[in-house]
Amino acid sequence: MTWLLIVYVIIMLGIGLMDVGKVKSFDNYVLAGRKRSAPMVGTSILASVVGASATLGVADLAFQVGLPAFWWLGSGALGLLVCGFFVAGKIRLLKVYTLADLVQILVGPAARRMVSLLIVVGWTGIIAAQFTAAAKIIDTFSILGYGQALIISGICIVAYCLLGGQLSVLKTDALQFLLMLTGLGLTLFLLFSRTGFPASGNHLQLLTDSFGINSFFYFLIVVGSGFIIGPDIFSRLLTARDGIAARRSAFMAGMILFFLSLGIVALGVWAREYSSVPEGASVLPFLLENEVPDWLGILFSFGLLSAIVSSSDTCLISAAAVAEHDLLRGSNVRRTRLIILAMGGAAIVIAGLEADIISTLLLAFSLFNCGVIPPVFIAAVAWPSRRLNEPMVIAAIILGGGLGIAGKVTGLDYITILGMAVSLLFSLAGIRKISRG
């Protein structure tokens, strides 16, 4: 696989090099000129959200709790549909570059600065989780050790983002998603044709003793909301050519994600029933190394790697755009590239220290989702006739985000959900009519 990995890197970097000369403005670099069709944007959303959490993380969770692991991505699919109904069209019509840029229009400048800081810090953790996932895949099917794989994968992803920006990312997302989907489909067919459907899966139990109602509400509310309001999702929607294309892309991605969730969960359920995955091992790499032919293991591994690359580059570019445009208040492409370099380097270091993918992702989700998502969602729905009182939004972010972190640290999901509820109540209390003079 090592030589195939080299070819893969050369192709990705080659695409980036081809687009370097086309990036003539900040708009082109971070939003690809805002001219993309609904199918292209929708596919790019799918390629972006099917990263570490949607592959390694969901399969591992399905191995532990069974079919209820569906709610990880199932909640995301519902979130994308809600985004399509209430948010996508509106935010595309506003001439903004980032989610934090939108916050200034809907709320005010102080809230924008706070949201910007949360995104830059939180998404650095998510990027680190993606780098960790990429290193695990490469480590399984190459001669590289985990540490070497982490450094090389991180450097290659950062270099690819530095070159062509969002334009290159959008071009490769469809191919990367197709590669992952092909590998998933063939692996499911091979495993289930060999054994049939596991007896434990005959009853579609979406709640079990090990995954109760508290876990269900946590995934539905906390995780699902990240697919309604998120800098990575917005960075895709803002590339659409108009509001209609943005809405259609969100609907398309949400519908497909339902079925994709079922497919990934099915692999974890199969491993739970028929495979002897060692304690502490990641399910998907183990299945690909031990339960399928080498050619299929390599194909699916590249599919998984492609999904992780798509998610990583989206997070890097969207977070760097926030740092440049919202924290530094500029629109300089060169400086944005330097920020990508700095954030990518920090993420590699973090990934070397913290390898628990789901914990890293949920920590970032808890920080951002509980404090920021409720006021931004309410503000987007209320716009343009009403806007939110800025001090109330800041209180919502501080209290909601604080409870979200407390819930994650203590492991008590109800505290995290309470954080979102508090943030939502403060946001609703802060709604006011816009004076027309």
Side-chain angles (χ1 to χ4, degrees), residues 5 38 55 73 84 123 201 420 424:
L5 184 63
T55 51
L73 276 183
W123 261 250
M420 293 202 76
L424 180 63

Side-chain angles (χ1 to χ4, degrees), residues 205-283:
Q205 294 177 289
L206 295 180
L207 293 176
T208 62
D209 291 339
S210 57
F211 191 96
I213 193 68
N214 289 339
S215 297
F216 167 73
F217 279 116
Y218 180 88
F219 277 83
L220 186 67
I221 297 172
V222 179
V223 176
S225 61
F227 290 75
I228 305 173
I229 305 291
D232 45 353
I233 301 296
F234 276 33
S235 73
R236 288 296 181 260
L237 294 175
L238 292 173
T239 66
R241 60 190 175 202
D242 53 34
I244 294 174
R247 291 188 65 197
R248 288 176 177 172
S249 67
F251 289 139
M252 167 190 159
M255 295 301 295
I256 294 175
L257 194 58
F258 272 114
F259 298 99
L260 198 59
S261 177
L262 290 172
I264 297 172
V265 168
L267 288 180
V269 171
W270 189 93
R272 178 183 173 97
E273 186 82 10
Y274 297 115
S275 188
S276 301
V277 180
E279 185 176 354
S282 190
V283 171

Side-chain angles (χ1 to χ4, degrees), residues 98-171:
T98 66
L99 186 153
D101 201 6
L102 175 70
V103 169
Q104 171 146 343
I105 294 175
L106 300 180
V107 181
R112 176 189 187 180
R113 289 191 292 271
M114 182 175 289
V115 169
S116 301
L117 186 60
L118 288 176
I119 290 173
V120 171
V121 173
W123 261 250
T124 300
I126 291 180
I127 295 163
Q130 304 293 354
F131 286 178
T132 299
K136 285 186 176 182
I137 295 296
I138 295 171
D139 179 37
T140 302
F141 282 97
S142 76
I143 60 174
L144 298 173
Y146 173 79
Q148 294 172 313
L150 174 62
I151 294 172
I152 291 173
S153 61
I155 290 174
C156 290
I157 291 170
V158 170
Y160 172 61
C161 292
L162 287 174
L163 294 171
Q166 198 75 268
L167 186 61
S168 296
V169 170
L170 285 168
K171 284 181 178 179

Side-chain angles (χ1 to χ4, degrees), residues 4 17 34 42 45 187 224 243 256 291 306 325 344 400 421:
L4 287 174
L17 284 169
R34 309 180 197 248
I45 289 173
T187 302
I256 294 175
E291 300 288 356
S306 294
H325 187 66

Side-chain angles (χ1 to χ4, degrees), residues 13 15-30 154-155 157-169 316-325 328 330-346:
L13 294 180
I15 293 172
L17 284 169
M18 289 173 59
D19 289 331
V20 167
K22 300 176 183 179
V23 179
K24 301 182 184 299
S25 67
F26 188 72
D27 192 276
N28 281 332
Y29 188 68
V30 302
I155 290 174
I157 291 170
V158 170
Y160 172 61
C161 292
L162 287 174
L163 294 171
Q166 198 75 268
L167 186 61
S168 296
V169 170
L316 259 175
I317 292 176
S318 59
V322 168
E324 166 63 18
H325 187 66
L328 300 180
S331 54
N332 186 289
V333 174
R334 183 179 179 182
R335 193 164 57 194
T336 305
R337 285 188 166 121
L338 291 175
I339 293 170
I340 287 176
L341 186 63
M343 291 187 68

